[in-house]
Amino acid sequence: MNKTKLQELSKLLDVTVVAKVLTGAEWQKEGGEKHPEAGDAIQTDSGCLMIARVNGSELHCVEISTVLTPLEKRLLSWAIRQGNMRPVSAASDLERQARRFGEWVQQSVAAGEWRAEVPERMELRNRLFDGMVPFLLSCEQVEDKEPSYSELEKTIRTYIPEDTLLIPLREHEWLVLTSDSVLSEADADGDEEIGHEETKELLASLAQGLHELITTEWGGECHIAVGEPIVPSENVVRIVATLRETTFLGRKFHVGMQIHLPWLVHLERLLSGIPETVRSRFVEEMMGRPDLFTDSETVATLDAFFSMDCNVSETAKKLFIHRNTLLYRLDKIKNEAGLDVRSFNDAVLVRILLLLYKVTKRK
C-alpha cells in the first residue's frame, strides 16, 4: 500500500496507520494463520494488523493503532481483497488461480515445507493430476519484450498443448506443469513402454525445444530446468525447490549452459556445500600444474570425455577427432598432471578438480 493510501486510511479511521513487512513465520508468531492471504487480519496488543498484499514470502501489512469493530474489519478486508483482484480484461480466471497457487508455493518453499500438500482451498488443485512433468523457467527477456501471462501461456501451448498449466512464481520465473503424455508423443520410436534413461533423454530434448521456442520469441537469457514426472498435489513444493537448486548449480559450475537436469548435478550439489576456503586449498594442493585448466583444448577434451562416461571412442566422435589424437591428449594430461583419467580413481579426482577450478577461477 503506497504512502497516499496509507494517509487516506489513517484520515478515514482517525488513527495512526503504518506499513509493515513480515515473513510468514513472523505472521504466525503474531497469531496469524499458516497460509495467509490479502485481507487476513489479527488483533495485536497495539491494535490490528492486516495483510494488504502477499508478495512471495513477504507479507505487506498495515498496522492500525486501534481495535477495529467486527464490521470495520470486514469492510476493510473486503476493500483490500477487491484492490488485489485484477480486472477481468487484464487477467483470466485461470491466471488468478495460477497466481494464487504460485504465491502459496513461494511461501511453502521459503518456509522449508518441502512436503507440503496442496490445500483443498486452492482452486487449481482440481486441475492437478498424477504424472505431470515439471519445467522451471527462469527467463529475463529484453525489457520491451517481456511477455504477459497470456502471451507466455499461448506460446507454451503451441509446443506442449495438452493439459498444461503456467504458474508464476518469482519475477521472471514460472513453473510449467504438463501431462506426462508428452513423453510418449516425443518418443519417435513409439515404444509402448519408455525406459528410465530414455525418459531422461526425452525430458532433456523437450526442455531444449522449449528453450529454443522462448528465446526465439522474446530473446534474452533463459534457463530451463526439468524434472521427472511427479504427483504435483503432493510434490510441487519439493520439485520447485529442487529445480531452483539445479538451475543455481548449473549456472555456477557450467557457465553457458541453459538446460539444467537434476540427475546430472549430484557431484556439483556435494561440492557446493564445501566452504570456499576448503575448495580453494584443495585445488591448490592437488593441482600439480596450476595452468593445466587454462588451456581451452584440455578443458574441452575433459568435458567431452566425462560427458561420454570416459568412453574413448565416443569421445573422439563427439570431438570430431581421430581416436589416436584423443589418446595423445589424454597421455599429455597424464604426463603434465600425473593423473590418468582412464583410471577410475584419477578420473574422479580430475572431474572434481575441474569443477572446482571452474568456480574458483571466477572469484
Side-chain angles (χ1 to χ4, degrees), residues 20 22-34 36-37 39-51 59 61-68 73 76-77:
K20 195 172 186 179
L22 301 178
T23 63
E26 290 170 335
W27 173 260
Q28 291 182 56
K29 189 176 180 180
E30 292 286 348
E33 295 293 330
K34 191 172 184 180
E37 297 179 354
D40 288 357
I42 51 177
Q43 204 67 42
T44 64
D45 295 336
S46 58
C48 179
L49 194 62
M50 184 170 288
I51 299 174
L59 307 178
C61 307
V62 289
E63 191 171 39
I64 304 167
S65 60
T66 188
V67 176
L68 299 178
K73 191 181 295 184
L76 183 55
S77 177

PDB file of all heavy atoms in Angstrom, residues 20 22-34 36-37 39-51 59 61-68 73 76-77:
ATOM      1  N   LYS A  20       4.027  -2.234   7.172  1.00  0.00           N
ATOM      2  CA  LYS A  20       4.924  -3.179   7.838  1.00  0.00           C
ATOM      3  C   LYS A  20       5.079  -4.413   6.967  1.00  0.00           C
ATOM      4  O   LYS A  20       4.099  -4.890   6.389  1.00  0.00           O
ATOM      5  CB  LYS A  20       4.345  -3.554   9.202  1.00  0.00           C
ATOM      6  CG  LYS A  20       5.313  -4.241  10.147  1.00  0.00           C
ATOM      7  CD  LYS A  20       4.688  -4.372  11.528  1.00  0.00           C
ATOM      8  CE  LYS A  20       5.681  -4.928  12.535  1.00  0.00           C
ATOM      9  NZ  LYS A  20       5.076  -5.030  13.899  1.00  0.00           N
ATOM     10  N   LEU A  22       6.252  -8.373   6.890  1.00  0.00           N
ATOM     11  CA  LEU A  22       6.534  -9.534   7.741  1.00  0.00           C
ATOM     12  C   LEU A  22       6.831 -10.756   6.889  1.00  0.00           C
ATOM     13  O   LEU A  22       6.422 -10.829   5.727  1.00  0.00           O
ATOM     14  CB  LEU A  22       5.336  -9.850   8.638  1.00  0.00           C
ATOM     15  CG  LEU A  22       4.827  -8.776   9.605  1.00  0.00           C
ATOM     16  CD1 LEU A  22       3.606  -9.300  10.343  1.00  0.00           C
ATOM     17  CD2 LEU A  22       5.910  -8.384  10.597  1.00  0.00           C
ATOM     18  N   THR A  23       7.523 -11.703   7.476  1.00  0.00           N
ATOM     19  CA  THR A  23       7.678 -13.016   6.854  1.00  0.00           C
ATOM     20  C   THR A  23       6.510 -13.896   7.325  1.00  0.00           C
ATOM     21  O   THR A  23       5.795 -13.533   8.275  1.00  0.00           O
ATOM     22  CB  THR A  23       8.997 -13.679   7.276  1.00  0.00           C
ATOM     23  OG1 THR A  23       8.976 -13.909   8.690  1.00  0.00           O
ATOM     24  CG2 THR A  23      10.182 -12.787   6.926  1.00  0.00           C
ATOM     25  N   GLY A  24       6.333 -15.029   6.683  1.00  0.00           N
ATOM     26  CA  GLY A  24       5.283 -15.946   7.098  1.00  0.00           C
ATOM     27  C   GLY A  24       5.454 -16.392   8.543  1.00  0.00           C
ATOM     28  O   GLY A  24       4.479 -16.507   9.297  1.00  0.00           O
ATOM     29  N   ALA A  25       6.720 -16.631   8.943  1.00  0.00           N
ATOM     30  CA  ALA A  25       6.994 -17.080  10.313  1.00  0.00           C
ATOM     31  C   ALA A  25       6.631 -15.988  11.324  1.00  0.00           C
ATOM     32  O   ALA A  25       6.084 -16.272  12.391  1.00  0.00           O
ATOM     33  CB  ALA A  25       8.471 -17.455  10.450  1.00  0.00           C
ATOM     34  N   GLU A  26       6.942 -14.735  10.987  1.00  0.00           N
ATOM     35  CA  GLU A  26       6.621 -13.627  11.891  1.00  0.00           C
ATOM     36  C   GLU A  26       5.114 -13.446  12.012  1.00  0.00           C
ATOM     37  O   GLU A  26       4.598 -13.130  13.087  1.00  0.00           O
ATOM     38  CB  GLU A  26       7.272 -12.340  11.378  1.00  0.00           C
ATOM     39  CG  GLU A  26       8.791 -12.341  11.505  1.00  0.00           C
ATOM     40  CD  GLU A  26       9.435 -11.173  10.788  1.00  0.00           C
ATOM     41  OE1 GLU A  26       8.822 -10.633   9.830  1.00  0.00           O
ATOM     42  OE2 GLU A  26      10.558 -10.801  11.159  1.00  0.00           O
ATOM     43  N   TRP A  27       4.402 -13.653  10.889  1.00  0.00           N
ATOM     44  CA  TRP A  27       2.940 -13.545  10.906  1.00  0.00           C
ATOM     45  C   TRP A  27       2.336 -14.603  11.834  1.00  0.00           C
ATOM     46  O   TRP A  27       1.446 -14.323  12.629  1.00  0.00           O
ATOM     47  CB  TRP A  27       2.410 -13.701   9.484  1.00  0.00           C
ATOM     48  CG  TRP A  27       0.920 -13.784   9.360  1.00  0.00           C
ATOM     49  CD1 TRP A  27       0.155 -14.901   9.196  1.00  0.00           C
ATOM     50  CD2 TRP A  27      -0.002 -12.679   9.406  1.00  0.00           C
ATOM     51  NE1 TRP A  27      -1.172 -14.579   9.119  1.00  0.00           N
ATOM     52  CE2 TRP A  27      -1.308 -13.217   9.248  1.00  0.00           C
ATOM     53  CE3 TRP A  27       0.128 -11.306   9.553  1.00  0.00           C
ATOM     54  CZ2 TRP A  27      -2.453 -12.421   9.234  1.00  0.00           C
ATOM     55  CZ3 TRP A  27      -1.013 -10.509   9.543  1.00  0.00           C
ATOM     56  CH2 TRP A  27      -2.278 -11.069   9.381  1.00  0.00           C
ATOM     57  N   GLN A  28       2.848 -15.839  11.730  1.00  0.00           N
ATOM     58  CA  GLN A  28       2.340 -16.912  12.597  1.00  0.00           C
ATOM     59  C   GLN A  28       2.665 -16.643  14.060  1.00  0.00           C
ATOM     60  O   GLN A  28       1.870 -16.940  14.950  1.00  0.00           O
ATOM     61  CB  GLN A  28       2.941 -18.250  12.161  1.00  0.00           C
ATOM     62  CG  GLN A  28       2.438 -18.755  10.808  1.00  0.00           C
ATOM     63  CD  GLN A  28       3.045 -20.104  10.457  1.00  0.00           C
ATOM     64  OE1 GLN A  28       2.934 -21.066  11.202  1.00  0.00           O
ATOM     65  NE2 GLN A  28       3.679 -20.177   9.298  1.00  0.00           N
ATOM     66  N   LYS A  29       3.836 -16.048  14.297  1.00  0.00           N
ATOM     67  CA  LYS A  29       4.242 -15.735  15.666  1.00  0.00           C
ATOM     68  C   LYS A  29       3.294 -14.718  16.297  1.00  0.00           C
ATOM     69  O   LYS A  29       3.033 -14.748  17.505  1.00  0.00           O
ATOM     70  CB  LYS A  29       5.670 -15.193  15.673  1.00  0.00           C
ATOM     71  CG  LYS A  29       6.268 -15.026  17.063  1.00  0.00           C
ATOM     72  CD  LYS A  29       7.713 -14.591  16.985  1.00  0.00           C
ATOM     73  CE  LYS A  29       8.305 -14.436  18.390  1.00  0.00           C
ATOM     74  NZ  LYS A  29       9.731 -14.001  18.329  1.00  0.00           N
ATOM     75  N   GLU A  30       2.758 -13.838  15.453  1.00  0.00           N
ATOM     76  CA  GLU A  30       1.803 -12.833  15.935  1.00  0.00           C
ATOM     77  C   GLU A  30       0.412 -13.429  16.144  1.00  0.00           C
ATOM     78  O   GLU A  30      -0.487 -12.769  16.662  1.00  0.00           O
ATOM     79  CB  GLU A  30       1.709 -11.678  14.931  1.00  0.00           C
ATOM     80  CG  GLU A  30       2.970 -10.825  14.821  1.00  0.00           C
ATOM     81  CD  GLU A  30       3.149  -9.905  16.019  1.00  0.00           C
ATOM     82  OE1 GLU A  30       2.187  -9.763  16.810  1.00  0.00           O
ATOM     83  OE2 GLU A  30       4.249  -9.351  16.174  1.00  0.00           O
ATOM     84  N   GLY A  31       0.232 -14.678  15.693  1.00  0.00           N
ATOM     85  CA  GLY A  31      -1.057 -15.331  15.881  1.00  0.00           C
ATOM     86  C   GLY A  31      -1.836 -15.566  14.606  1.00  0.00           C
ATOM     87  O   GLY A  31      -3.008 -15.955  14.641  1.00  0.00           O
ATOM     88  N   GLY A  32      -1.182 -15.326  13.432  1.00  0.00           N
ATOM     89  CA  GLY A  32      -1.854 -15.483  12.161  1.00  0.00           C
ATOM     90  C   GLY A  32      -1.887 -16.915  11.666  1.00  0.00           C
ATOM     91  O   GLY A  32      -1.222 -17.797  12.215  1.00  0.00           O
ATOM     92  N   GLU A  33      -2.668 -17.145  10.594  1.00  0.00           N
ATOM     93  CA  GLU A  33      -2.786 -18.472  10.001  1.00  0.00           C
ATOM     94  C   GLU A  33      -1.509 -18.850   9.256  1.00  0.00           C
ATOM     95  O   GLU A  33      -0.689 -17.990   8.902  1.00  0.00           O
ATOM     96  CB  GLU A  33      -3.975 -18.515   9.034  1.00  0.00           C
ATOM     97  CG  GLU A  33      -5.333 -18.330   9.707  1.00  0.00           C
ATOM     98  CD  GLU A  33      -5.688 -19.487  10.622  1.00  0.00           C
ATOM     99  OE1 GLU A  33      -5.251 -20.617  10.334  1.00  0.00           O
ATOM    100  OE2 GLU A  33      -6.394 -19.269  11.625  1.00  0.00           O
ATOM    101  N   LYS A  34      -1.364 -20.139   8.960  1.00  0.00           N
ATOM    102  CA  LYS A  34      -0.150 -20.661   8.339  1.00  0.00           C
ATOM    103  C   LYS A  34       0.012 -20.189   6.901  1.00  0.00           C
ATOM    104  O   LYS A  34       1.115 -19.894   6.461  1.00  0.00           O
ATOM    105  CB  LYS A  34      -0.168 -22.193   8.387  1.00  0.00           C
ATOM    106  CG  LYS A  34       1.151 -22.826   8.007  1.00  0.00           C
ATOM    107  CD  LYS A  34       1.105 -24.324   8.258  1.00  0.00           C
ATOM    108  CE  LYS A  34       2.450 -24.969   7.989  1.00  0.00           C
ATOM    109  NZ  LYS A  34       2.425 -26.424   8.234  1.00  0.00           N
ATOM    110  N   PRO A  36      -1.319 -17.281   4.888  1.00  0.00           N
ATOM    111  CA  PRO A  36      -2.090 -16.034   4.882  1.00  0.00           C
ATOM    112  C   PRO A  36      -2.380 -15.514   3.477  1.00  0.00           C
ATOM    113  O   PRO A  36      -1.673 -15.815   2.520  1.00  0.00           O
ATOM    114  CB  PRO A  36      -1.180 -15.062   5.634  1.00  0.00           C
ATOM    115  CG  PRO A  36       0.198 -15.583   5.373  1.00  0.00           C
ATOM    116  CD  PRO A  36       0.061 -17.083   5.326  1.00  0.00           C
ATOM    117  N   GLU A  37      -3.453 -14.725   3.383  1.00  0.00           N
ATOM    118  CA  GLU A  37      -3.837 -14.096   2.127  1.00  0.00           C
ATOM    119  C   GLU A  37      -4.159 -12.634   2.385  1.00  0.00           C
ATOM    120  O   GLU A  37      -4.375 -12.216   3.533  1.00  0.00           O
ATOM    121  CB  GLU A  37      -5.062 -14.796   1.532  1.00  0.00           C
ATOM    122  CG  GLU A  37      -4.832 -16.248   1.168  1.00  0.00           C
ATOM    123  CD  GLU A  37      -6.096 -16.897   0.600  1.00  0.00           C
ATOM    124  OE1 GLU A  37      -7.148 -16.228   0.609  1.00  0.00           O
ATOM    125  OE2 GLU A  37      -6.010 -18.055   0.151  1.00  0.00           O
ATOM    126  N   GLY A  39      -6.042  -9.403   3.047  1.00  0.00           N
ATOM    127  CA  GLY A  39      -7.309  -9.213   3.747  1.00  0.00           C
ATOM    128  C   GLY A  39      -7.379  -9.924   5.083  1.00  0.00           C
ATOM    129  O   GLY A  39      -8.253  -9.613   5.901  1.00  0.00           O
ATOM    130  N   ASP A  40      -6.468 -10.861   5.332  1.00  0.00           N
ATOM    131  CA  ASP A  40      -6.432 -11.541   6.629  1.00  0.00           C
ATOM    132  C   ASP A  40      -5.982 -10.557   7.703  1.00  0.00           C
ATOM    133  O   ASP A  40      -5.123  -9.696   7.463  1.00  0.00           O
ATOM    134  CB  ASP A  40      -5.477 -12.731   6.596  1.00  0.00           C
ATOM    135  CG  ASP A  40      -6.029 -13.895   5.780  1.00  0.00           C
ATOM    136  OD1 ASP A  40      -7.169 -13.782   5.306  1.00  0.00           O
ATOM    137  OD2 ASP A  40      -5.311 -14.888   5.613  1.00  0.00           O
ATOM    138  N   ALA A  41      -6.542 -10.676   8.900  1.00  0.00           N
ATOM    139  CA  ALA A  41      -6.212  -9.731   9.980  1.00  0.00           C
ATOM    140  C   ALA A  41      -6.053 -10.466  11.302  1.00  0.00           C
ATOM    141  O   ALA A  41      -6.641 -11.522  11.525  1.00  0.00           O
ATOM    142  CB  ALA A  41      -7.299  -8.666  10.097  1.00  0.00           C
ATOM    143  N   ILE A  42      -5.232  -9.889  12.177  1.00  0.00           N
ATOM    144  CA  ILE A  42      -5.054 -10.409  13.526  1.00  0.00           C
ATOM    145  C   ILE A  42      -5.058  -9.237  14.508  1.00  0.00           C
ATOM    146  O   ILE A  42      -4.654  -8.124  14.166  1.00  0.00           O
ATOM    147  CB  ILE A  42      -3.741 -11.217  13.679  1.00  0.00           C
ATOM    148  CG1 ILE A  42      -2.544 -10.409  13.166  1.00  0.00           C
ATOM    149  CG2 ILE A  42      -3.820 -12.548  12.984  1.00  0.00           C
ATOM    150  CD1 ILE A  42      -1.214 -11.110  13.359  1.00  0.00           C
ATOM    151  N   GLN A  43      -5.521  -9.504  15.697  1.00  0.00           N
ATOM    152  CA  GLN A  43      -5.540  -8.485  16.741  1.00  0.00           C
ATOM    153  C   GLN A  43      -4.197  -8.508  17.460  1.00  0.00           C
ATOM    154  O   GLN A  43      -3.674  -9.573  17.791  1.00  0.00           O
ATOM    155  CB  GLN A  43      -6.676  -8.760  17.722  1.00  0.00           C
ATOM    156  CG  GLN A  43      -7.159  -7.538  18.490  1.00  0.00           C
ATOM    157  CD  GLN A  43      -7.848  -6.523  17.593  1.00  0.00           C
ATOM    158  OE1 GLN A  43      -8.617  -6.891  16.729  1.00  0.00           O
ATOM    159  NE2 GLN A  43      -7.536  -5.255  17.800  1.00  0.00           N
ATOM    160  N   THR A  44      -3.617  -7.345  17.692  1.00  0.00           N
ATOM    161  CA  THR A  44      -2.348  -7.242  18.414  1.00  0.00           C
ATOM    162  C   THR A  44      -2.561  -6.404  19.668  1.00  0.00           C
ATOM    163  O   THR A  44      -3.633  -5.824  19.884  1.00  0.00           O
ATOM    164  CB  THR A  44      -1.265  -6.592  17.535  1.00  0.00           C
ATOM    165  OG1 THR A  44      -1.648  -5.235  17.245  1.00  0.00           O
ATOM    166  CG2 THR A  44      -1.091  -7.355  16.227  1.00  0.00           C
ATOM    167  N   ASP A  45      -1.511  -6.309  20.487  1.00  0.00           N
ATOM    168  CA  ASP A  45      -1.606  -5.519  21.723  1.00  0.00           C
ATOM    169  C   ASP A  45      -1.861  -4.048  21.422  1.00  0.00           C
ATOM    170  O   ASP A  45      -2.517  -3.347  22.191  1.00  0.00           O
ATOM    171  CB  ASP A  45      -0.319  -5.661  22.542  1.00  0.00           C
ATOM    172  CG  ASP A  45      -0.116  -7.080  23.033  1.00  0.00           C
ATOM    173  OD1 ASP A  45      -1.127  -7.801  23.143  1.00  0.00           O
ATOM    174  OD2 ASP A  45       1.041  -7.463  23.294  1.00  0.00           O
ATOM    175  N   SER A  46      -1.327  -3.593  20.273  1.00  0.00           N
ATOM    176  CA  SER A  46      -1.453  -2.164  19.940  1.00  0.00           C
ATOM    177  C   SER A  46      -2.608  -1.855  19.004  1.00  0.00           C
ATOM    178  O   SER A  46      -2.874  -0.694  18.695  1.00  0.00           O
ATOM    179  CB  SER A  46      -0.151  -1.673  19.297  1.00  0.00           C
ATOM    180  OG  SER A  46       0.152  -2.438  18.138  1.00  0.00           O
ATOM    181  N   GLY A  47      -3.290  -2.870  18.501  1.00  0.00           N
ATOM    182  CA  GLY A  47      -4.401  -2.608  17.591  1.00  0.00           C
ATOM    183  C   GLY A  47      -4.695  -3.765  16.665  1.00  0.00           C
ATOM    184  O   GLY A  47      -4.945  -4.888  17.101  1.00  0.00           O
ATOM    185  N   CYS A  48      -4.566  -3.498  15.359  1.00  0.00           N
ATOM    186  CA  CYS A  48      -4.907  -4.516  14.357  1.00  0.00           C
ATOM    187  C   CYS A  48      -3.834  -4.556  13.279  1.00  0.00           C
ATOM    188  O   CYS A  48      -3.311  -3.525  12.854  1.00  0.00           O
ATOM    189  CB  CYS A  48      -6.268  -4.183  13.737  1.00  0.00           C
ATOM    190  SG  CYS A  48      -6.791  -5.346  12.450  1.00  0.00           S
ATOM    191  N   LEU A  49      -3.503  -5.757  12.833  1.00  0.00           N
ATOM    192  CA  LEU A  49      -2.532  -5.960  11.762  1.00  0.00           C
ATOM    193  C   LEU A  49      -3.243  -6.682  10.627  1.00  0.00           C
ATOM    194  O   LEU A  49      -3.795  -7.758  10.830  1.00  0.00           O
ATOM    195  CB  LEU A  49      -1.351  -6.786  12.277  1.00  0.00           C
ATOM    196  CG  LEU A  49      -0.081  -6.838  11.426  1.00  0.00           C
ATOM    197  CD1 LEU A  49       0.537  -5.458  11.276  1.00  0.00           C
ATOM    198  CD2 LEU A  49       0.935  -7.789  12.052  1.00  0.00           C
ATOM    199  N   MET A  50      -3.252  -6.068   9.426  1.00  0.00           N
ATOM    200  CA  MET A  50      -3.961  -6.651   8.300  1.00  0.00           C
ATOM    201  C   MET A  50      -3.051  -6.725   7.077  1.00  0.00           C
ATOM    202  O   MET A  50      -2.272  -5.800   6.814  1.00  0.00           O
ATOM    203  CB  MET A  50      -5.201  -5.821   7.964  1.00  0.00           C
ATOM    204  CG  MET A  50      -6.071  -6.402   6.856  1.00  0.00           C
ATOM    205  SD  MET A  50      -7.663  -5.553   6.687  1.00  0.00           S
ATOM    206  CE  MET A  50      -8.519  -6.111   8.155  1.00  0.00           C
ATOM    207  N   ILE A  51      -3.135  -7.849   6.353  1.00  0.00           N
ATOM    208  CA  ILE A  51      -2.306  -8.039   5.155  1.00  0.00           C
ATOM    209  C   ILE A  51      -2.925  -7.271   3.986  1.00  0.00           C
ATOM    210  O   ILE A  51      -4.085  -7.483   3.627  1.00  0.00           O
ATOM    211  CB  ILE A  51      -2.175  -9.526   4.798  1.00  0.00           C
ATOM    212  CG1 ILE A  51      -1.508 -10.298   5.938  1.00  0.00           C
ATOM    213  CG2 ILE A  51      -1.367  -9.707   3.512  1.00  0.00           C
ATOM    214  CD1 ILE A  51      -1.460 -11.788   5.729  1.00  0.00           C
ATOM    215  N   LEU A  59       4.972 -10.507   3.377  1.00  0.00           N
ATOM    216  CA  LEU A  59       3.596 -10.097   3.647  1.00  0.00           C
ATOM    217  C   LEU A  59       3.602  -8.594   3.901  1.00  0.00           C
ATOM    218  O   LEU A  59       4.153  -8.123   4.912  1.00  0.00           O
ATOM    219  CB  LEU A  59       3.049 -10.839   4.860  1.00  0.00           C
ATOM    220  CG  LEU A  59       3.160 -12.371   4.837  1.00  0.00           C
ATOM    221  CD1 LEU A  59       2.617 -12.951   6.138  1.00  0.00           C
ATOM    222  CD2 LEU A  59       2.421 -12.942   3.645  1.00  0.00           C
ATOM    223  N   CYS A  61       1.872  -5.526   5.126  1.00  0.00           N
ATOM    224  CA  CYS A  61       0.746  -5.324   6.039  1.00  0.00           C
ATOM    225  C   CYS A  61       0.533  -3.846   6.362  1.00  0.00           C
ATOM    226  O   CYS A  61       1.410  -3.000   6.119  1.00  0.00           O
ATOM    227  CB  CYS A  61       0.986  -6.081   7.345  1.00  0.00           C
ATOM    228  SG  CYS A  61       1.364  -7.833   7.133  1.00  0.00           S
ATOM    229  N   VAL A  62      -0.637  -3.568   6.921  1.00  0.00           N
ATOM    230  CA  VAL A  62      -0.908  -2.255   7.512  1.00  0.00           C
ATOM    231  C   VAL A  62      -1.170  -2.480   8.998  1.00  0.00           C
ATOM    232  O   VAL A  62      -1.913  -3.391   9.392  1.00  0.00           O
ATOM    233  CB  VAL A  62      -2.120  -1.561   6.856  1.00  0.00           C
ATOM    234  CG1 VAL A  62      -1.766  -1.110   5.461  1.00  0.00           C
ATOM    235  CG2 VAL A  62      -3.343  -2.470   6.810  1.00  0.00           C
ATOM    236  N   GLU A  63      -0.511  -1.671   9.822  1.00  0.00           N
ATOM    237  CA  GLU A  63      -0.676  -1.767  11.267  1.00  0.00           C
ATOM    238  C   GLU A  63      -1.524  -0.586  11.723  1.00  0.00           C
ATOM    239  O   GLU A  63      -1.132   0.572  11.559  1.00  0.00           O
ATOM    240  CB  GLU A  63       0.683  -1.763  11.963  1.00  0.00           C
ATOM    241  CG  GLU A  63       0.604  -2.115  13.433  1.00  0.00           C
ATOM    242  CD  GLU A  63       1.973  -2.326  14.041  1.00  0.00           C
ATOM    243  OE1 GLU A  63       2.898  -1.577  13.683  1.00  0.00           O
ATOM    244  OE2 GLU A  63       2.130  -3.247  14.873  1.00  0.00           O
ATOM    245  N   ILE A  64      -2.691  -0.896  12.259  1.00  0.00           N
ATOM    246  CA  ILE A  64      -3.661   0.125  12.652  1.00  0.00           C
ATOM    247  C   ILE A  64      -3.679   0.218  14.171  1.00  0.00           C
ATOM    248  O   ILE A  64      -3.922  -0.787  14.863  1.00  0.00           O
ATOM    249  CB  ILE A  64      -5.061  -0.238  12.118  1.00  0.00           C
ATOM    250  CG1 ILE A  64      -4.998  -0.427  10.599  1.00  0.00           C
ATOM    251  CG2 ILE A  64      -6.078   0.831  12.483  1.00  0.00           C
ATOM    252  CD1 ILE A  64      -6.229  -1.085  10.010  1.00  0.00           C
ATOM    253  N   SER A  65      -3.424   1.421  14.692  1.00  0.00           N
ATOM    254  CA  SER A  65      -3.251   1.581  16.139  1.00  0.00           C
ATOM    255  C   SER A  65      -4.576   1.751  16.875  1.00  0.00           C
ATOM    256  O   SER A  65      -4.759   2.699  17.653  1.00  0.00           O
ATOM    257  CB  SER A  65      -2.350   2.787  16.423  1.00  0.00           C
ATOM    258  OG  SER A  65      -2.932   3.967  15.884  1.00  0.00           O
ATOM    259  N   THR A  66      -5.492   0.874  16.615  1.00  0.00           N
ATOM    260  CA  THR A  66      -6.764   0.867  17.351  1.00  0.00           C
ATOM    261  C   THR A  66      -7.425  -0.488  17.152  1.00  0.00           C
ATOM    262  O   THR A  66      -7.081  -1.229  16.217  1.00  0.00           O
ATOM    263  CB  THR A  66      -7.717   1.972  16.866  1.00  0.00           C
ATOM    264  OG1 THR A  66      -8.856   2.036  17.746  1.00  0.00           O
ATOM    265  CG2 THR A  66      -8.221   1.692  15.461  1.00  0.00           C
ATOM    266  N   VAL A  67      -8.350  -0.805  18.010  1.00  0.00           N
ATOM    267  CA  VAL A  67      -9.096  -2.047  17.875  1.00  0.00           C
ATOM    268  C   VAL A  67     -10.280  -1.790  16.958  1.00  0.00           C
ATOM    269  O   VAL A  67     -11.100  -0.901  17.234  1.00  0.00           O
ATOM    270  CB  VAL A  67      -9.594  -2.548  19.250  1.00  0.00           C
ATOM    271  CG1 VAL A  67     -10.446  -3.799  19.070  1.00  0.00           C
ATOM    272  CG2 VAL A  67      -8.419  -2.833  20.164  1.00  0.00           C
ATOM    273  N   LEU A  68     -10.368  -2.498  15.855  1.00  0.00           N
ATOM    274  CA  LEU A  68     -11.456  -2.328  14.913  1.00  0.00           C
ATOM    275  C   LEU A  68     -12.680  -3.120  15.351  1.00  0.00           C
ATOM    276  O   LEU A  68     -12.560  -4.199  15.940  1.00  0.00           O
ATOM    277  CB  LEU A  68     -11.033  -2.798  13.515  1.00  0.00           C
ATOM    278  CG  LEU A  68      -9.854  -2.074  12.850  1.00  0.00           C
ATOM    279  CD1 LEU A  68      -9.563  -2.706  11.492  1.00  0.00           C
ATOM    280  CD2 LEU A  68     -10.128  -0.593  12.690  1.00  0.00           C
ATOM    281  N   LYS A  73     -13.583  -4.251  10.436  1.00  0.00           N
ATOM    282  CA  LYS A  73     -12.593  -5.231   9.984  1.00  0.00           C
ATOM    283  C   LYS A  73     -13.048  -5.929   8.704  1.00  0.00           C
ATOM    284  O   LYS A  73     -12.265  -6.108   7.765  1.00  0.00           O
ATOM    285  CB  LYS A  73     -12.350  -6.271  11.087  1.00  0.00           C
ATOM    286  CG  LYS A  73     -11.152  -7.166  10.833  1.00  0.00           C
ATOM    287  CD  LYS A  73     -10.960  -8.189  11.942  1.00  0.00           C
ATOM    288  CE  LYS A  73     -10.628  -7.513  13.256  1.00  0.00           C
ATOM    289  NZ  LYS A  73     -10.349  -8.528  14.318  1.00  0.00           N
ATOM    290  N   LEU A  76     -12.881  -3.372   5.712  1.00  0.00           N
ATOM    291  CA  LEU A  76     -11.506  -3.097   5.289  1.00  0.00           C
ATOM    292  C   LEU A  76     -10.912  -4.315   4.593  1.00  0.00           C
ATOM    293  O   LEU A  76     -10.214  -4.182   3.578  1.00  0.00           O
ATOM    294  CB  LEU A  76     -10.653  -2.713   6.507  1.00  0.00           C
ATOM    295  CG  LEU A  76      -9.195  -2.333   6.217  1.00  0.00           C
ATOM    296  CD1 LEU A  76      -9.122  -1.212   5.181  1.00  0.00           C
ATOM    297  CD2 LEU A  76      -8.492  -1.921   7.513  1.00  0.00           C
ATOM    298  N   SER A  77     -11.199  -5.506   5.110  1.00  0.00           N
ATOM    299  CA  SER A  77     -10.715  -6.732   4.483  1.00  0.00           C
ATOM    300  C   SER A  77     -11.295  -6.880   3.081  1.00  0.00           C
ATOM    301  O   SER A  77     -10.588  -7.241   2.131  1.00  0.00           O
ATOM    302  CB  SER A  77     -11.100  -7.937   5.340  1.00  0.00           C
ATOM    303  OG  SER A  77     -10.711  -9.144   4.719  1.00  0.00           O
TER     304      SER A  77
END
